[in-house]
């Protein structure tokens, strides 16, 4: 039915702009609900940037620490990401001010020139819009970085040789770097980021489609905190108890026991399947 409908859809001038916009749109969670607001301390950010930041945000954080400044594109991309992982407005003002005054911006200049935009991102100035973090699609498709900028997607906007050097410095194994560069060559930038996640978290398959930097952070924290493993252990524990009960009833009904064990195995597979998400 879809195939038969394509000619009429493609010839309908009213639908073409809609379909074009849809292919470039992000329709997942916008990470505007701040369930974790205030749970991230400023002292944690350096360690989190190494363990749980996607490459784009890790690059921005390192550049900020090295240069004590980011241009507007970098401040927007990184600032909204930090907001999405739980940084409060007060923490954000403290974080950016401390870093900028270590460079060429004094406290008075920061308060007059930069604090407003941070409060604006949190919906406290201007139109009072509570801005949401950038999705991968937005980072890839809009506002490409120019010389001196550090925002954007490293898989999309970095020179392949520079990207290779960066991955080497982050101790990504050579075979993994080759896989990532092949995906980049094929313009599969989000798949390249997924491969980076797998290599830096030592997993074979992340089990989800990566399309947002804050999703990367959330899934990384779940994995590192043992959330997924805990679910599996609880599931296996429950199944072990079921198998024990089945074995205790073996003497009374061997046929029934065999059926129960088979059902337990199937249930274990189903539980493992659903806990992967």
């Amino acid at each position: 039915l879809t195939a038969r409908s394509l000619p009429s859809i493609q010839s309908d001038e009213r639908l073409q702009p809609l379909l074009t916009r849809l292919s470039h749109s992000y329709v997942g969670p916008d990470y505007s609900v701040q369930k974790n607001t205030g749970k991230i301390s400023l002292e944690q950010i350096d360690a989190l940037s190494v363990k749980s930041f996607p490459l784009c945000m890790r690059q921005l954080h390192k550049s900020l620490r090295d240069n004590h400044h980011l241009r507007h594109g970098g401040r927007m991309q990184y600032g909204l990401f930090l907001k999405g992982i739980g940084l409060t407005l007060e923490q954000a003002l403290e974080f950016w001010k401390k870093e900028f005054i270590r460079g060429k911006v004094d406290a008075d200049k920061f308060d007059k020139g930069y604090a407003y935009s941070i409060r604006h991102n949190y919906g406290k100035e201007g139109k009072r819009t509570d801005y949401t973090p950038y999705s991968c699609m937005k980072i890839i498709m809009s506002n490409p970085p120019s010389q001196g900028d550090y925002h954007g997607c490293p898989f999309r906007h970095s020179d392949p040789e520079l990207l290779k050097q960066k991955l080497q410095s982050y101790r990504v194994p050579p075979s993994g770097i080759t896989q990532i560069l092949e995906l980049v060559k094929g313009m599969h930038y989000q798949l390249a980021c997924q491969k980076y996640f797998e290599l830096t978290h030592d997993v074979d398959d992340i089990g989800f489609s990566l399309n947002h930097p804050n999703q990367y952070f959330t899934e990384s924290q779940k994995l590192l905190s043992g959330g997924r493993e805990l679910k599996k252990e609880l599931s296996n524990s429950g199944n072990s108890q079921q198998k024990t009960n089945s074995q205790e009833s073996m003497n009374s009904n061997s046929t029934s026991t065999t059926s129960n064990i088979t059902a337990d195995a199937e249930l274990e597979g189903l539980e493992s399947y659903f806990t992967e998400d």
Side-chain angles (χ1 to χ4, degrees), residues 8 28 30 38 47 60 68 74 85 88 96 104 110 148 151 159 171 189 191 216 224 227 232 251 263 265-266 268:
S8 60
D30 61 10
L60 282 165
H68 314 300
I85 68 173
T88 66
W96 290 100
K104 298 179 180 180
F110 179 87
H151 66 272
D159 175 82
R171 299 181 181 179
Y189 308 119
L191 292 179
Y216 184 109
L224 293 174
K232 289 180 181 178
N251 294 332
E266 293 174 348
E268 182 177 357

Side-chain angles (χ1 to χ4, degrees), residues 48-61:
L48 289 172
S49 72
V50 175
K51 298 188 297 182
S52 292
F53 281 16
L55 190 58
C56 58
M57 301 305 171
R58 187 174 182 179
Q59 172 177 282
L60 282 165
H61 181 76

Side-chain angles (χ1 to χ4, degrees), residues 12-46:
D12 191 331
E13 295 180 356
R14 298 170 300 173
L15 292 176
Q16 280 299 321
L18 176 63
L19 293 174
T20 300
R21 287 196 299 270
L22 183 62
S23 67
H24 294 162
S25 298
Y26 170 71
V27 294
D30 61 10
Y31 297 92
S32 60
V33 179
Q34 297 299 298
K35 295 179 180 178
N36 295 319
T37 299
K39 292 185 178 180
I40 301 296
S41 70
L42 297 182
E43 291 74 22
Q44 291 176 296
I45 293 179
D46 286 326

Side-chain angles (χ1 to χ4, degrees), residues 53-90:
F53 281 16
L55 190 58
C56 58
M57 301 305 171
R58 187 174 182 179
Q59 172 177 282
L60 282 165
H61 181 76
K62 186 177 187 304
S63 299
L64 177 62
R65 290 302 199 203
D66 290 346
N67 304 315
H68 314 300
H69 190 271
L70 284 176
R71 291 184 176 179
H72 178 72
R75 296 197 303 274
M76 288 294 292
Q77 182 175 319
Y78 189 41
L80 289 173
F81 169 79
L82 290 175
K83 174 187 175 185
I85 68 173
L87 224 62
T88 66
L89 172 58
E90 292 72 22

Side-chain angles (χ1 to χ4, degrees), residues 22-232:
L22 183 62
S23 67
H24 294 162
S25 298
Y26 170 71
V27 294
D30 61 10
Y31 297 92
S32 60
V33 179
Q34 297 299 298
K35 295 179 180 178
N36 295 319
T37 299
K39 292 185 178 180
I40 301 296
S41 70
L42 297 182
E43 291 74 22
Q44 291 176 296
I45 293 179
D46 286 326
L48 289 172
S49 72
V50 175
K51 298 188 297 182
S52 292
F53 281 16
L55 190 58
C56 58
M57 301 305 171
R58 187 174 182 179
Q59 172 177 282
L60 282 165
H61 181 76
K62 186 177 187 304
S63 299
L64 177 62
R65 290 302 199 203
D66 290 346
N67 304 315
H68 314 300
H69 190 271
L70 284 176
R71 291 184 176 179
H72 178 72
R75 296 197 303 274
M76 288 294 292
Q77 182 175 319
Y78 189 41
L80 289 173
F81 169 79
L82 290 175
K83 174 187 175 185
I85 68 173
L87 224 62
T88 66
L89 172 58
E90 292 72 22
Q91 287 175 314
L93 288 167
E94 181 182 351
F95 172 75
W96 290 100
K97 186 172 185 176
K98 279 185 175 180
E99 199 59 52
F100 271 45
I101 62 177
R102 292 178 64 191
K104 298 179 180 180
V105 177
D106 60 35
D108 186 58
K109 183 177 180 180
F110 179 87
D111 291 337
K112 292 179 178 178
Y114 297 96
Y116 177 91
S117 63
I118 297 172
R119 292 195 300 271
H120 191 272
N121 284 348
Y122 279 78
K124 303 302 182 183
E125 300 286 357
K127 296 179 179 179
R128 307 284 174 171
T129 301
D130 191 15
Y131 291 94
T132 57
Y134 292 173
S135 68
C136 292
M137 186 63 71
K138 181 177 179 64
I139 292 171
I140 291 170
M141 300 296 294
S142 63
N143 190 27
S146 57
Q147 187 174 2
D149 287 326
Y150 295 95
H151 66 272
C153 172
F155 303 106
R156 167 66 178 87
H157 298 115
S158 292
D159 175 82
E161 185 58 35
L162 293 177
L163 176 60
K164 179 180 178 180
Q165 293 174 13
K166 187 181 297 293
L167 293 172
Q168 288 173 337
S169 70
Y170 292 161
R171 299 181 181 179
V172 176
S175 60
I177 293 176
T178 300
Q179 294 177 66
I180 289 174
L181 293 178
E182 282 298 313
L183 289 168
V184 168
K185 185 177 179 181
M187 296 188 292
H188 305 301
Y189 308 119
Q190 288 168 244
L191 292 179
C193 193
Q194 287 186 196
K195 178 57 65 175
Y196 174 77
F197 184 107
E198 291 167 357
L199 293 166
T200 54
H201 290 77
D202 195 26
V203 294
D204 294 329
D205 185 358
I206 59 177
F208 60 88
S209 179
L210 182 61
N211 47 38
H212 202 293
N214 290 82
Q215 176 195 20
Y216 184 109
F217 176 83
T218 300
E219 294 294 339
S220 172
Q221 285 292 287
K222 284 181 183 177
L223 193 62
L224 293 174
S225 67
R228 291 184 182 177
E229 306 306 322
L230 179 60
K231 289 180 181 178
K232 289 180 181 178

